[in-house]
Amino acid sequence: MNISTKYGSKRRVEFFGNFLIDRWGEPSLKLIDFDLIKRGDLIPEKEQKIWFMKILTVCVEYAKNVHLNSVMLRLQADNIWLTDPQVSFEKLLKRVNETEKINQYFLMGYATAYQLGFRFDDFTTRHREAHHDFWLKKQIH
């Protein structure tokens, strides 16, 4: 399902998401796209983190309410290839070009999701075109 902010073009900050409820394997909510956009400018990092955390928290609550076992979040990064299933944020920072916009969003998303209990999943890195997809997973109890 595609989710977006109602009347988003009239709002200062918009959210666009592409979510999948997977009932075939382990019942899970997969957050395939999770994008925050500010009209005409970048969202300040502090505000971006607050919005990201709020929306991600609502997604976890939704998954609990519909009795799913986990929530998976896909984050995209540029020119990063990881082989370790679990990487500390400090190690990750050493491998990232922080000046690239996509990686700034990746780092903010990773740090925020990690605070909420998300961890790298077993099939962490997937190469797609010029980017790498990272899946973070949160088990729901």
Side-chain angles (χ1 to χ4, degrees):
M1 65 187 133
N2 292 317
I3 297 175
S4 62
T5 306
K6 189 172 185 178
Y7 307 116
S9 61
K10 297 178 183 178
R11 308 233 187 254
R12 193 172 60 82
V13 176
E14 294 181 68
F15 171 76
F16 294 98
N18 187 344
F19 297 0
L20 169 72
I21 295 176
D22 185 357
R23 293 261 186 206
W24 292 105
E26 174 189 12
S28 63
L29 175 62
K30 293 183 179 173
L31 312 175
I32 299 165
D33 289 318
F34 202 90
D35 301 318
L36 293 170
I37 299 167
K38 183 176 178 183
R39 274 190 297 151
D41 206 1
L42 293 175
I43 305 170
E45 188 175 339
K46 187 176 181 180
E47 183 181 359
Q48 191 177 53
K49 189 172 183 172
I50 291 168
W51 278 104
F52 197 95
M53 185 171 281
K54 284 180 181 180
I55 296 169
L56 194 53
T57 300
V58 168
C59 291
V60 170
E61 285 302 312
Y62 172 77
K64 282 181 188 176
N65 291 337
V66 296
H67 307 290
L68 299 175
N69 295 346
S70 64
V71 177
M72 296 182 67
L73 170 66
R74 181 182 72 108
L75 294 174
Q76 201 178 62
D78 193 38
N79 296 318
I80 302 173
W81 187 265
L82 300 178
T83 54
D84 312 336
Q86 300 299 326
V87 177
S88 70
F89 194 65
E90 293 76 25
K91 282 185 183 178
L92 194 60
L93 280 174
K94 291 178 185 174
R95 301 181 191 187
V96 174
N97 179 351
E98 295 180 60
T99 59
E100 295 176 21
K101 187 176 170 183
I102 190 168
N103 287 340
Q104 289 173 348
Y105 189 79
F106 166 73
L107 290 171
M108 180 280 306
Y110 176 82
T112 304
Y114 199 88
Q115 274 186 293
L116 293 173
F118 283 78
R119 300 296 182 262
F120 276 127
D121 191 43
D122 294 336
F123 61 105
T124 300
T125 307
R126 297 240 172 126
H127 185 264
R128 187 169 49 86
E129 297 176 13
H131 306 293
H132 300 282
D133 294 341
F134 294 87
W135 286 90
L136 296 155
K137 183 177 186 177
K138 178 177 176 68
Q139 288 296 127
I140 298 175
H141 308 289

